Amino acid sequence: MGKNREPLKYVYGPVSSWRLGASLGIDPISEKTKICTYDCVYCQLGRTDSFTDGRTRFVETAEIIKELRSIGDVKADFITFSGRGEPTLAENLGQMIRAVRKARKEKIAVITNSSLLCRDDVQEDLMGADIVIAKLDAHSKALFEDMNRPMETIKFDAVVSGLKDFRKRFKGSVE
């Protein structure tokens, strides 16, 4: 970071990713505590501080673009939405993806736990991405509940059907 640049709040990296190469991250949640629909036993962020399945605007899109512009010509293969919780909880995720697409040339990826893919508004927001890395850790309801420890409103069958439906609709790559 240069002398005159303010610390970044929403943009990080680039980080090396075996799937995406050099990835410049965007955290659309950017809260001090982790906000998610799951409390996965293996999460690198630790325990979930705030469970929610309600989408809200955590960060203004203009703030994301301002930070992206402030870093200049950083070399990256992808711009990836991820961070301190489930990125699809950001109700302006679609708007962010469209704005980043206009501001930068890199491909766009979103890393999601798939919990909200059964929602039309979430699927619509993800349509602007090039790649959606959508996880499904378990093959059964029992394993899903033991490993991902979802909030009560998130059901295994809905996650699976949402993921299947999204794969049919999405023109990009789902991994």
Side-chain angles (χ1 to χ4, degrees):
M1 208 170 2
K3 291 181 189 175
N4 298 330
R5 189 164 44 170
E6 292 181 33
L8 301 176
K9 295 178 186 176
Y10 316 116
V11 177
Y12 58 94
V15 295
S16 181
S17 164
W18 64 272
R19 286 182 182 165
L20 303 174
S23 176
L24 191 60
I26 294 178
D27 182 355
I29 305 294
S30 295
E31 295 288 317
K32 290 181 181 178
T33 59
K34 182 176 126 188
I35 300 174
C36 198
T37 53
Y38 293 168
D39 188 21
C40 298
V41 297
Y42 59 81
C43 184
Q44 66 189 23
L45 299 175
R47 299 297 305 252
T48 298
D49 300 300
S50 180
F51 274 111
T52 187
D53 62 357
R55 299 182 82 201
T56 192
R57 185 177 297 254
F58 297 96
V59 178
E60 292 299 326
T61 302
E63 291 298 313
I64 299 288
I65 299 306
K66 179 180 172 186
E67 277 199 9
L68 274 176
R69 289 189 173 131
S70 79
I71 62 173
D73 191 25
V74 173
K75 200 166 178 89
D77 300 304
F78 276 88
I79 295 182
T80 305
F81 287 86
S82 183
R84 295 219 38 91
E86 173 52 33
T88 62
L89 286 169
E91 71 179 359
N92 58 332
L93 180 61
Q95 181 184 54
M96 288 181 188
I97 290 170
R98 289 186 300 277
V100 167
R101 179 140 342 263
K102 288 179 183 175
R104 301 283 300 206
K105 64 183 182 316
E106 296 89 353
K107 290 185 178 180
I108 297 173
V110 178
I111 300 174
T112 177
N113 67 17
S114 305
S115 62
L116 302 179
L117 283 178
C118 59
R119 294 181 53 167
D120 289 336
D121 60 333
V122 171
Q123 287 192 22
E124 204 53 47
D125 280 355
L126 293 172
M127 292 300 163
D130 297 293
I131 294 178
V132 174
I133 299 172
K135 78 172 193 155
L136 181 62
D137 293 329
H139 67 280
S140 69
K141 179 180 183 274
L143 186 57
F144 171 73
E145 290 174 357
D146 286 346
M147 187 178 301
N148 297 126
R149 301 186 302 210
M151 57 188 300
E152 286 185 22
T153 58
I154 305 298
K155 304 298 181 197
F156 177 72
D157 291 339
V159 172
V160 172
S161 65
L163 188 52
K164 286 178 179 178
D165 182 49
F166 181 69
R167 287 183 68 100
K168 289 177 191 170
R169 292 184 61 202
F170 187 61
K171 303 290 189 243
S173 176
V174 179
E175 298 182 13

